[in-house]
């Protein structure tokens, strides 16, 4: 693959090709031609004694569609480690412009140049090495470590450099010259592809596979690919999480049922992950059905869980040793919504105070202080709704501090239904244990007059 100097190297090789070709044709043309590779607005048009000029201008660089997805993925999904050095594949778009002083000079010069590129539609590796030895690139502006890089890496890349005429509409050509802010001259567009720039950083590559599954102790043959006579996923897979009574979210102390396939095995551990957890929170299941389609566990409701768990959307996976396998496997992760249950009445077991609502202050307002199970982390977004009126939580110093909400004084006196919303997940207000859904009468708070 090429080094980062490849773009400049392509321009240098093309300029060398045009320069050598025009030198050979100089006797036929009868004049001296100067070949450059600068922006058109840098061409001096006021000097009448200047020689004829042919300019090669790189006006656009685009990703190559055929190579841009090669060697993907280039980084691991788990920790982001580098797996491959995916190449930066680029197409270079050039504008070839001829400048002349007398009649037909620009047209003749452009014709010679276009014929040269037509005869050399591909830059062979030997021509690239000749054009870049010694290197025409100015690497003095680069750090010393990079000055040792030579543009000859261009000749070593897998793909050869191909030169293709590119048709530009009158509108595109007009926009380009307007952007350059200089006078139009006879020009022809070319696409040069593909330049492959690749890094050389260390990558992670797995070791070769020794066997496909366990080996037979007698024949020493591996088990091979296991085929299941059904349309289910071939690996242990989780499908859904179902809170108690099919509530919208689970609460601490309540059971959760996980449905899935191929969950038969031993040593099951339910793992809960969250963006604020340093490590997954592990819970042993309470029941596993014989068919391996359901696993039930209970969210703990002790003081440790109160501070360790978090409300909002958690990721649930199961780690276990499948039947017939020597090593433990971890399933896919599926979402589980955990609701922060507002503590209305005092909780003597966990030492959580009862919720309070007061009215007063300047300007007048209604202030509600409330704790929750589990604790709401300071990094989380929390809001409280009294019926349909919402207020955001005020900043706190510690996770264990009660949540404080300030409502406008327009909140009426009396009882209000309470919903605590944490990271978009509402507390459970509807009781679905009966024959018909009903509001949970314990989720109310009294606002004084």
């Amino acid at each position: 693959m090429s080094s980062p100097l490849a773009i400049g190297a392509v321009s240098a090789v093309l300029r060398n090709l045009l320069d050598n070709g025009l030198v050979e044709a100089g006797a036929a043309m009868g004049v001296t031609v100067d070949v450059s590779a600068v922006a058109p607005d840098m061409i001096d048009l006021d000097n009448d004694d200047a020689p004829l000029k042919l300019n090669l201008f790189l006006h656009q660089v685009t990703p190559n569609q055929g190579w841009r997805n090669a060697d993907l993925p280039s980084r691991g999904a788990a920790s982001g480690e580098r797996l491959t050095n995916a190449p930066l594949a680029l197409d270079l778009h050039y504008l070839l412009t001829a400048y002349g002083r007398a009649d037909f000079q620009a047209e003749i010069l452009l014709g010679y140049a276009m014929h040269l590129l037509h005869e050399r539609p591909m830059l062979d590796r030997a021509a690239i090495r000749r054009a870049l030895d010694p290197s025409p690139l100015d690497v003095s502006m680069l750090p010393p470590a990079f000055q040792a890089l030579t543009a000859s890496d261009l000749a070593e890349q897998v793909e050869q450099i191909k030169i293709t005429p590119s048709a530009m509409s009158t509108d595109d050509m007009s926009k380009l010259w307007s952007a350059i802010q200089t006078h139009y001259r006879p020009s022809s567009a070319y696409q040069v592809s593909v330049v492959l720039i690749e890094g050389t950083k260390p990558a992670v590559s797995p070791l070769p596979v020794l066997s496909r599954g366990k080996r037979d102790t007698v024949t020493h043959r591996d088990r091979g690919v296991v085929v299941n006579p059904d349309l289910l996923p071939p690996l242990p897979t989780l499908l859904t999480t179902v809170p108690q009574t099919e509530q919208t979210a689970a609460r601490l102390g309540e059971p959760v049922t996980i449905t899935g396939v191929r969950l038969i095995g031993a040593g099951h551990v339910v793992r809960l992950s969250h963006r604020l957890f340093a490590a997954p929170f592990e819970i042993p299941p309470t029941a596993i059905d014989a068919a391996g389609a359901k696993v039930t566990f209970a969210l703990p409701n002790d003081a440790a869980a109160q501070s360790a768990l978090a409300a909002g959307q958690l990721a649930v996976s199961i780690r276990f040793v499948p039947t017939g396998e020597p090593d433990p496997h971890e399933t896919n992760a599926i979402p589980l919504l955990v609701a922060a249950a507002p503590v209305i009445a005092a909780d003597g077991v966990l030492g959580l105070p009862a919720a309070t609502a007061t009215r007063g202050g300047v300007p007048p307002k209604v202030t509600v202080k409330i704790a929750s199970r589990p604790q709401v982390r300071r990094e989380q977004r929390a809001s409280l709704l009294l019926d349909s009126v919402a207020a955001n939580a005020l900043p706190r110093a510690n996770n264990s501090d009660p949540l404080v909400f300030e409502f406008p004084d327009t909140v009426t006196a009396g009882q209000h239904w309470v919903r605590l919303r944490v990271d978009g997940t509402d507390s459970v207000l509807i009781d679905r244990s009966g024959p018909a859904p009903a509001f949970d009468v314990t989720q109310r708070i009294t606002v004084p007059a």
Side-chain angles (χ1 to χ4, degrees):
M1 296 294 179
S2 302
S3 73
L5 299 176
I7 297 177
V10 171
S11 298
V13 173
L14 291 176
R15 188 188 67 176
N16 180 269
L17 170 65
L18 294 170
D19 194 24
N20 291 342
L22 291 175
V23 167
E24 295 174 0
M29 296 179 62
V31 292
T32 303
V33 180
D34 180 25
V35 181
S36 61
V38 297
D41 61 328
M42 299 179 65
I43 302 296
D44 185 9
L45 302 177
D46 299 327
N47 185 4
D48 295 334
D49 297 329
L52 297 181
K53 183 174 286 291
L54 185 69
N55 187 62
L56 187 70
F57 172 49
L58 175 64
H59 68 89
Q60 189 178 22
V61 179
T62 59
N64 180 270
Q65 300 299 322
W67 273 88
R68 70 181 307 175
N69 293 329
D71 290 342
L72 293 180
S74 59
R75 292 188 179 273
S79 57
E81 71 276 7
R82 182 182 292 269
L83 301 179
T84 60
N85 288 307
L88 174 61
L90 302 174
D91 291 337
L92 310 183
H93 302 266
Y94 286 93
L95 192 68
L96 183 63
T97 306
Y99 296 85
R101 297 284 178 187
D103 293 345
F104 315 124
Q105 282 185 336
E107 290 86 343
I108 296 173
L109 180 57
L110 185 61
Y112 267 102
M114 294 180 66
H115 183 257
L116 285 172
L117 297 181
H118 176 73
E119 292 295 315
R120 295 288 296 273
M122 183 179 296
L123 299 180
D124 58 89
R125 304 184 193 281
I128 294 175
R129 293 190 181 100
R130 286 195 304 269
L132 299 178
D133 186 22
S135 174
L137 302 180
D138 180 12
V139 295
S140 60
M141 58 182 164
L142 298 177
F146 290 92
Q147 290 184 14
L149 295 175
T150 63
S152 60
D153 291 341
L154 184 67
E156 315 304 329
Q157 70 172 30
V158 177
E159 287 274 8
Q160 286 191 309
I161 306 297
K162 293 174 282 292
I163 307 171
T164 307
S166 178
M168 292 186 68
S169 66
T170 304
D171 184 55
D172 291 337
M173 188 70 76
S174 174
K175 290 179 180 178
L176 177 59
W177 281 92
S178 297
I180 298 173
Q181 295 185 354
T182 187
H183 297 296
Y184 173 78
R185 292 295 185 272
S187 303
S188 179
Y190 288 88
Q191 175 178 309
V192 178
S193 65
V194 57
V195 175
L196 301 174
I197 300 175
E198 186 178 30
T200 57
K201 295 184 177 180
V204 176
S205 180
L207 294 172
V209 175
L210 293 178
S211 64
R212 299 168 299 170
K214 295 192 301 183
R215 289 182 175 272
D216 186 273
T217 56
V218 178
T219 64
H220 302 292
R221 297 180 60 182
D222 58 27
R223 183 182 61 185
V225 178
V226 177
V227 178
N228 299 300
D230 53 43
L231 298 179
L232 299 176
L235 301 175
T237 304
L238 304 186
L239 301 177
T240 61
T241 56
V242 184
Q244 186 181 38
T245 65
E246 297 185 356
Q247 291 282 9
T248 56
R251 292 176 289 192
L252 298 190
E254 295 181 347
V256 177
T257 300
I258 301 175
T259 64
V261 295
R262 312 196 194 283
L263 301 179
I264 301 176
H268 292 72
V269 176
V270 178
R271 295 162 62 88
L272 304 179
S273 302
H274 189 272
R275 61 184 177 85
L276 298 178
F277 293 174
F281 189 91
E282 298 186 343
I283 304 173
T286 56
I288 305 172
D289 75 334
K294 289 184 179 180
V295 175
T296 303
F297 72 99
L299 289 171
N301 191 26
D302 53 16
Q306 163 73 5
S307 58
L309 289 175
Q313 180 173 303
L314 279 67
V316 182
S317 62
I318 299 179
R319 185 176 179 83
F320 71 105
V321 180
T323 301
E325 296 286 343
D327 301 316
H329 289 207
E330 185 165 354
T331 67
N332 60 307
I334 58 176
L336 171 66
L337 295 181
V338 175
V343 179
I344 307 299
D347 188 331
V349 177
L350 297 178
L352 300 177
T356 61
T358 58
R359 188 187 299 271
V362 179
K365 57 184 175 292
V366 174
T367 303
V368 177
K369 291 185 179 181
I370 196 169
S372 68
R373 296 190 301 264
Q375 296 174 357
V376 177
R377 310 275 183 112
R378 293 186 300 114
E379 299 88 348
Q380 295 183 290
R381 296 177 291 105
S383 58
L384 186 70
L385 290 90
L386 299 182
D387 292 340
S388 59
V389 182
N392 294 326
L394 300 180
R396 297 172 297 152
N398 302 293
N399 292 334
S400 57
D401 294 341
L403 297 166
V404 180
F405 304 89
E406 292 183 349
F407 293 85
D409 192 50
T410 54
V411 175
T412 59
Q415 290 190 326
H416 295 265
W417 299 109
V418 173
R419 285 175 292 166
L420 179 58
R421 180 174 296 165
V422 180
D423 284 350
T425 301
D426 285 1
S427 60
V428 178
L429 178 61
I430 299 177
D431 184 3
R432 301 179 185 271
S433 60
F439 287 122
D440 187 349
V441 296
T442 64
Q443 300 298 296
R444 290 186 297 186
I445 192 172
T446 302
V447 175

